[in-house]
Amino acid sequence: MTGSDLFFGLVVLFLIGAASSVVLNKKDRICSYISFISAAIASLLGIIFSFSVILGNNFVFNVSGTFLNFGFFVDKLSAFFILIISITAFAVSIYSTGYVKEYFGKKNIGYLCFLYNIFILSMVLVVSANNALMFLIVWEMMSIISYFLVVYEHEKPETRKAGFIYIVMTHIGTGFILLSFLILASGSASFSFETFRAGVLTMPPLLRDAAFLFALIGFGTKAGIVPLHIWLPYAHPEAPSNVSALMSGVMIKTAIYMLIRVSFDFLGASVLWWGVLLLIIASASALLGVMYALMEHDIKRLLAFHSVENIGIILIGVSVSMIFMSTGHPELAAFGLIAALYHTMNHAIFKSLLFMGAGSLIFSTHTKNIEEMGGLLKKMPWTGMFFLIGSIAISALPPLNGFVSEWLTFHAQLLSINLSDNITKIIVLSSGAALALTSALAAACFVKAFGISFLALPRSEHARNASEAPGSMLFGMGILSLLCIALGVLSFYFLPVLDSIASPLSGASVLPKVAFDLSLAALSPQAGSISTIWIFLLLFVFVPVPFLLSLALGGRTKARTYETWGCGQPVCTARNEYTATGFSKPIRMWGSGIYRPHREIQTSYAGSPFFKERFTFDTQIEPIFEKYFYEPITRLAFFVSRILKVIQTGSIHIYLLYIFITLVIALIYVGVGG
Amino acid sequence: MNPVAIAIFQMLVIIALAPLLSGIMKKVKAFFQIRKGASIFQPYYDIAKLLKKDSVVSENASWIFHAAPVISFVAILAAGMLIPIYISDMPFGFAGDLIAIVYLLALARFFTALASLDTGSSFGGMGGSREMFVASMVEPAMMLSIFAIALNVGSTNLDVISQTVSSRGFSAFSPYHLLAFVALFIIAIAETGRIPVDNPATHLELTMIHEAMILEYSGKQLALVELGAMMRNLLVFSLLANIFFPWGIASTASVAGIAAALVAFVIKIAVLGAAMAVVETSTAKWRLFRLPDLLSISLMLSFLALVSFIIVKGG
């Protein structure tokens, strides 16, 4: 099969999946199987296709006519993102065959399956578009279809609110993207991406700055950088979990793709302050993302805030790479980009895995609040195992994949010692402290998320009656869990491939300076090396040591099961357990400057003030971005609209008058000027 | 000597010396408190006694509770393979650098904290929550001091670091090296759970962190947890010793060299342990919410180490 067979094959299969769900709309079971399986096969084709491009030649397809001029261009960077989309979509599609059973008889399955297929297709087309107009069309398609998926459970008012916030934010983003493209197109007088590169060279620096800034705001909105992130914690939790896995895992990555495309490929990453600005925004996103995640008890909102965090980590790699590019260190830039791309891949995998895990939890417990879960590891052993693997990976603990990409990011930051400007050096190195704090807080957050939801006693009736998710859902999660392990332990195998993706963008390969054999080395073996496979083997080999030690020194002993010690009191119920709110309390106190927490305690007494009858406790944090950034803007928008309302009388005569006046002014203009 | 033999010997040294360090520190503390104190070998007897005892396991516990001591123990041991103890050219030195060591220790902590939540006791949750909080506060300072050391030496791998520092002799004592040492010493207090951060000798619910996390463990499992904590102490001290004062460490694998290096190592960690015991007896435990102040002092020191290095050497 050639590249174009594979590419159009996957397009057609997604369309078949979509069409069959329309035809079989009334038959829930068959409809879901056919459309999700065709999506899974299409994703397999996508995996093969992307490998054929990454290891072979670029794929080009052009249609040009007098009016219509569009095309697909898949280079290694696009193929890498198609690979991410396809791997995730494959696992999620299998998971979905089980997950949608929740909706059988209650919701329109055909509608969901139709949107699901078109959604994945639109993401694939976004990363392969080769023309600004075509790109904007598929980008809008992706945004609008994801909006429809977010509001799938539209009978709930909070879902409609989330959908509204999402669609407003995504269109503000698209507006800025349009501005950026118009500037880029003005340099070349064409909307084709190929001419953008040449056009930029003759462009005044100020316009280039503007193009970068507009692209940063536009794509940053989709990616979820602070302060444009506010839609993520609303939209991702409200969508069905299989869709949130795709949205959080891969959709926001298409924005990363375009940000890399615009700043490296089109604009050549030639200005130092672009990188520094992005680095500061990225560090802030990483840190604030994880800090807000720690305060969440809604498992899906928690994961959505972690997406903000991880987008920050990815962009730290991208921005460090841009700093190297602009100061003439192309091979170091390739190293930074490798770190960023690897984290993009890893985040797609463990975040989709965690969202699927969250979906299983909701599927069995019918709640999103982790305070109402607990004890689920015994009821859902496999879901628990997969969620634990995802938690270890996202907390960047060795030997899993998250550790490798964060390690590469730390070393990319260390390499800034090669820069000539001391202030830039200090900024980049200090961002290492922000990244370290971020990953430590992420570990704290996942101890909370896993510990409160899976360990100890069930905290509610729902959790007591939970049972394991169906096999198809476990299978989908299992694939990604294995990938988390493989991408960590065998990372040395994937990194040279990433270099072949990054080096065309930076203009130099990092391979001559780095040994990617059994150990990873950051720029010459002197600068630091890890070998995740050896760490894995060491961990594995040492497992018998504690057993042998205790057997040799202590002999055989027995273990007795008894109730947990409760300070001598005969109480041991779920109400005595530590809560998620309690667990994150030290961090809430430490970060009170940002969180601005306030609490309300109401006590009612039974007669005497010594006997408390009821005690209610409520604690909340202040959403500072919504309150101090978006609320004033919204108020301003309402104020302006109220003023403009004066001309909107609703009377057709007045509107005719407007048209007449406009016509007169236009005629005068033409008469005087022309 | 055979590299595998060196690695196995290093593992045995870590396991065997860990209780000794704990015993020495307790003895020094007893001296300053004008007590006689237990023998420095007491921790060995304690571990041996616990290993012979049956354990009681909470009925709420899942497999995490049973796996956590083993995983923590194994992760700490794996980190020990990456740290120079008596030889600077460790057989597995290439397998991980300082950053990997930090994250392996974090893996151990992650599972201990999970186990603390597993029994449903509020003490456990309290300990786990505080432990993760302190660990989060430690991390940025730790990373900046690692950066300062790595830039000074040109590598994050400990074999290279200890070789370079020992070859530099007294000229290694630059201001940024000393600043990084003080920063890392404060971090070591937090990492090993010593006063003023945590009190290893307490069982008062208002103050305990590590002890609260492991409250439900008993018998064999407790022995593994305790030994793991002692090994973590030893590793943190040997990091301090062999990053900043790697003198006497063997650079080639000869029996005489290793024997001399072992003696030097025991002296170094005994001195550092005594210094830590002095800090412990001369300060009071701080409130939990004052700890970020202490750790921001460490953060500032490592930042100064970094900046002074860049200003003096970089550019």
Side-chain angles (χ1 to χ4, degrees):
Chain A
M1 280 195 284
T2 64
S4 86
D5 287 345
L6 287 166
F7 186 77
F8 291 106
L10 80 93
V11 172
V12 168
L13 268 169
F14 279 125
L15 290 176
I16 289 175
S20 62
S21 51
V22 175
V23 175
L24 299 167
N25 191 11
K26 292 280 173 273
K27 298 193 170 57
D28 287 351
R29 188 170 298 271
I30 300 169
C31 164
S32 72
Y33 274 116
I34 289 182
S35 70
F36 287 126
I37 286 169
S38 83
I41 298 169
S43 311
L44 275 182
L45 288 186
I47 294 172
I48 301 168
F49 169 71
S50 46
F51 270 114
S52 79
V53 174
I54 290 172
L55 304 172
N57 296 320
N58 293 348
F59 167 74
V60 190
F61 179 82
N62 272 313
V63 175
S64 41
T66 33
F67 296 107
L68 198 66
N69 193 345
F70 73 94
F72 301 111
F73 175 71
V74 180
D75 63 355
K76 287 185 163 53
L77 182 69
S78 305
F80 177 70
F81 280 86
I82 293 179
L83 179 66
I84 293 176
I85 294 167
S86 307
I87 290 176
T88 315
F90 176 70
V92 173
S93 299
I94 294 174
Y95 173 88
S96 301
T97 55
Y99 182 75
V100 291
K101 285 186 188 136
E102 170 112 327
Y103 296 117
F104 281 179
K106 292 181 210 153
K107 304 284 297 179
N108 189 338
I109 300 295
Y111 175 66
L112 178 66
C113 297
F114 172 77
L115 292 174
Y116 179 89
N117 272 282
I118 302 288
F119 178 51
I120 302 173
L121 176 63
S122 66
M123 287 193 288
V124 172
L125 295 182
V126 160
V127 296
S128 42
N130 193 28
N131 176 301
L133 287 180
M134 156 127 186
F135 173 83
L136 284 170
I137 292 167
V138 285
W139 178 265
E140 270 303 280
M141 195 166 107
M142 179 179 85
S143 301
I144 288 171
I145 289 175
S146 53
Y147 164 75
F148 284 127
L149 284 165
V150 167
V151 295
Y152 183 63
E153 297 175 38
H154 52 78
E155 63 281 354
K156 297 185 201 157
E158 65 269 22
T159 303
R160 293 199 295 273
K161 186 192 171 202
F164 179 72
I165 292 173
Y166 173 49
I167 196 109
V168 168
M169 287 307 290
T170 194
H171 279 97
I172 291 171
T174 310
F176 280 99
I177 295 169
L178 192 62
L179 284 176
S180 173
F181 280 173
L182 284 174
I183 294 171
L184 287 170
S186 71
S188 61
S190 155
F191 279 108
S192 164
F193 282 169
E194 270 142 38
T195 55
F196 278 12
R197 294 176 191 107
V200 162
L201 299 175
T202 55
M203 208 181 265
L206 211 60
L207 273 185
R208 267 189 272 178
D209 289 348
F212 172 75
L213 280 179
F214 288 146
L216 179 61
I217 297 171
F219 295 114
T221 312
K222 193 61 136 195
I225 57 173
V226 169
L228 304 166
H229 67 284
I230 55 148
W231 65 270
L232 271 102
Y234 286 102
H236 290 204
E238 293 305 330
S241 294
N242 53 345
V243 175
S244 4
L246 284 178
M247 281 178 74
S248 202
V250 284
M251 186 187 77
I252 58 175
K253 303 295 157 42
T254 59
I256 299 284
Y257 160 79
M258 273 313 282
L259 213 50
I260 294 176
R261 180 70 81 198
V262 170
S263 41
F264 282 84
D265 197 5
F266 299 164
L267 295 168
S270 50
V271 182
L272 178 63
W273 69 260
W274 295 356
V276 176
L277 175 73
L278 185 59
L279 178 65
I280 293 166
I281 293 174
S283 308
S285 302
L287 207 49
L288 288 172
V290 73
M291 281 178 72
Y292 281 111
L294 268 160
M295 294 303 122
E296 283 302 333
H297 309 139
D298 175 329
I299 183 95
K300 288 176 81 177
R301 268 177 76 91
L302 182 149
L303 292 175
F305 273 119
H306 273 288
S307 293
V308 178
E309 175 220 335
N310 279 286
I311 287 293
I313 296 174
I314 293 167
L315 288 177
I316 287 177
V318 173
S319 58
V320 170
S321 175
M322 282 170 73
I323 290 171
F324 286 137
M325 269 301 264
S326 60
T327 49
H329 296 95
E331 65 295 334
L332 302 186
F335 189 83
L337 215 47
I338 289 172
L341 290 176
Y342 206 45
H343 200 71
T344 308
M345 177 103 183
N346 292 338
H347 177 248
I349 286 167
F350 57 63
K351 184 49 67 68
S352 312
L353 169 62
L354 287 166
F355 260 113
M356 288 197 273
S360 298
L361 288 178
I362 297 163
F363 186 87
S364 326
T365 61
H366 304 284
T367 175
K368 286 193 272 189
N369 188 354
I370 56 171
E371 306 270 39
E372 292 173 15
M373 295 178 188
L376 293 172
L377 191 60
K378 288 176 188 157
K379 321 243 178 213
M380 309 170 71
W382 287 105
T383 305
M385 188 69 201
F386 298 142
F387 198 89
L388 181 64
I389 291 175
S391 304
I392 296 174
I394 199 173
S395 308
L397 297 173
L400 300 192
N401 56 356
F403 167 69
V404 180
S405 42
E406 282 200 21
W407 185 86
L408 289 169
T409 312
F410 278 124
H411 273 280
Q413 289 168 327
L414 261 178
L415 288 172
S416 68
I417 196 67
N418 294 302
L419 297 172
S420 52
D421 179 33
N422 280 348
I423 302 293
T424 321
K425 252 186 239 183
I426 291 171
I427 292 174
V428 177
L429 290 169
S430 308
S431 72
L435 181 57
L437 182 57
T438 303
S439 73
L441 289 174
C445 190
F446 275 91
V447 168
K448 181 190 94 171
F450 183 84
I452 302 294
S453 51
F454 283 99
L455 300 180
L457 288 170
R459 292 156 202 270
S460 70
E461 202 55 46
H462 289 308
R464 252 186 294 284
N465 299 329
S467 58
E468 185 58 287
S472 52
M473 288 166 74
L474 297 179
F475 189 73
M477 289 188 275
I479 296 169
L480 295 188
S481 302
L482 283 180
L483 276 173
C484 278
I485 297 169
L487 284 169
V489 174
L490 304 174
S491 48
F492 61 91
Y493 186 75
F494 302 104
L495 290 168
V497 179
L498 288 183
D499 181 70
S500 74
I501 296 163
S503 51
L505 292 167
S506 67
S509 163
V510 77
L511 279 186
K513 297 202 171 183
V514 183
F516 287 128
D517 42 27
L518 277 181
S519 62
L520 306 173
L523 235 64
S524 87
Q526 285 279 301
S529 68
I530 53 163
S531 168
T532 34
I533 189 157
W534 273 105
I535 291 178
F536 182 74
L537 288 176
L538 280 176
L539 290 172
F540 199 71
V541 165
F542 283 142
V543 167
V545 173
F547 291 106
L548 289 175
L549 191 75
S550 59
L551 205 63
L553 292 176
R556 287 193 175 280
T557 54
K558 288 194 291 288
R560 196 158 58 93
T561 307
Y562 197 66
E563 65 190 36
T564 301
W565 185 65
C567 286
Q569 309 227 24
V571 279
C572 199
T573 64
R575 287 186 60 83
N576 295 56
E577 284 170 22
Y578 225 55
T579 58
T581 317
F583 194 89
S584 49
K585 171 87 182 183
I587 290 162
R588 190 160 60 245
M589 300 237 341
W590 163 73
S592 58
I594 288 172
Y595 295 134
R596 295 157 173 270
H598 64 90
R599 62 177 174 185
E600 218 172 282
I601 298 172
Q602 285 178 341
T603 320
S604 57
Y605 300 97
S608 139
F610 299 107
F611 296 101
K612 284 175 184 164
E613 193 179 52
R614 269 184 74 78
F615 190 79
T616 53
F617 174 84
D618 180 40
T619 177
Q620 265 168 358
I621 60 165
E622 201 173 84
I624 47 169
F625 288 104
E626 284 163 53
K627 193 161 175 185
Y628 298 106
F629 186 70
Y630 287 98
E631 256 182 37
I633 292 177
T634 322
R635 269 204 303 276
L636 185 72
F638 275 119
F639 178 71
V640 172
S641 331
R642 260 198 303 279
I643 291 172
L644 289 179
K645 205 166 70 180
V646 176
I647 59 168
Q648 297 273 358
T649 56
S651 155
I652 193 146
H653 305 293
I654 304 288
Y655 291 143
L656 284 173
L657 183 67
Y658 292 158
I659 294 171
F660 180 69
I661 291 169
T662 317
L663 187 68
V664 168
I665 292 171
L667 284 175
I668 291 169
Y669 176 76
V670 171
V672 173
Chain B
M1 249 165 40
N2 184 338
V4 177
I6 291 179
I8 292 173
F9 186 60
Q10 174 148 345
M11 180 192 89
L12 294 175
V13 165
I14 290 169
I15 296 174
L17 282 185
L20 182 68
L21 173 65
S22 166
I24 291 173
M25 289 177 71
K26 280 185 184 150
K27 193 75 177 174
V28 175
K29 272 171 86 172
F31 171 79
F32 281 107
Q33 292 161 352
I34 324 184
R35 289 190 288 121
K36 193 151 176 259
S39 148
I40 56 169
F41 300 107
Q42 188 60 40
Y44 290 99
Y45 308 142
D46 291 344
I47 297 278
K49 178 190 72 186
L50 283 174
L51 281 172
K52 291 197 185 79
K53 291 208 169 224
D54 288 350
S55 45
V56 182
V57 178
S58 163
E59 59 203 2
N60 306 341
S62 66
W63 63 265
I64 294 279
F65 185 80
H66 296 273
V70 176
I71 296 175
S72 302
F73 192 92
V74 163
I76 292 167
L77 215 47
M81 290 292 108
L82 315 175
I83 298 174
I85 302 287
Y86 52 85
I87 188 162
S88 55
D89 189 20
M90 310 86 73
F92 290 107
F94 70 91
D97 59 353
L98 260 171
I99 300 173
I101 292 166
V102 171
Y103 279 89
L104 274 171
L105 294 180
L107 178 70
R109 183 186 299 117
F110 186 84
F111 273 93
T112 317
L114 279 186
S116 77
L117 286 166
D118 201 13
T119 54
S121 144
S122 358
F123 284 120
M126 195 186 288
S129 155
R130 289 171 179 177
E131 174 87 0
M132 295 316 284
F133 169 65
V134 174
S136 308
M137 298 299 104
V138 165
E139 204 85 340
M142 175 120 78
M143 200 48 73
L144 277 195
S145 47
I146 289 176
F147 277 12
I149 296 161
L151 294 180
N152 186 8
V153 180
S155 173
T156 50
N157 274 54
L158 278 161
D159 42 3
V160 183
I161 291 175
S162 61
Q163 272 161 18
T164 316
V165 175
S166 67
S167 69
R168 281 183 192 170
F170 276 101
S171 69
F173 280 98
S174 49
Y176 27 90
H177 201 62
L178 288 175
L179 281 169
F181 173 72
V182 179
L184 217 54
F185 190 81
I186 296 176
I187 291 163
I189 296 175
E191 271 292 299
T192 57
R194 296 279 154 184
I195 295 173
V197 175
D198 184 12
N199 186 354
T202 187
H203 275 105
L204 182 68
E205 64 267 32
L206 289 177
T207 57
M208 60 183 172
I209 300 179
H210 185 258
E211 290 303 314
M213 280 207 297
I214 62 171
L215 205 60
E216 282 295 318
Y217 280 111
S218 56
K220 259 200 170 102
Q221 288 170 323
L222 182 61
L224 284 183
V225 171
E226 295 278 10
L227 188 57
M230 288 172 189
M231 278 159 42
R232 173 196 283 268
N233 285 6
L234 182 79
L235 293 184
V236 172
F237 279 61
S238 41
L239 274 180
L240 280 177
N242 284 340
I243 289 175
F244 296 100
F245 321 100
W247 315 313
I249 199 161
S251 50
T252 51
S254 68
V255 176
I258 286 176
L262 266 179
V263 173
F265 176 71
V266 172
I267 293 171
K268 277 186 282 189
I269 60 159
V271 170
L272 279 169
M276 188 69 87
V278 171
V279 171
E280 273 202 280
T281 34
S282 55
T283 50
K285 187 173 172 319
W286 285 24
R287 274 184 70 215
L288 186 68
F289 296 108
R290 273 189 70 201
L291 292 184
D293 300 348
L294 179 70
L295 295 166
S296 30
I297 293 172
S298 168
L299 180 68
M300 279 305 119
L301 288 173
S302 39
F303 184 70
L304 283 178
L306 203 63
V307 171
S308 58
F309 173 78
I310 287 171
I311 289 169
V312 176
K313 285 275 183 78

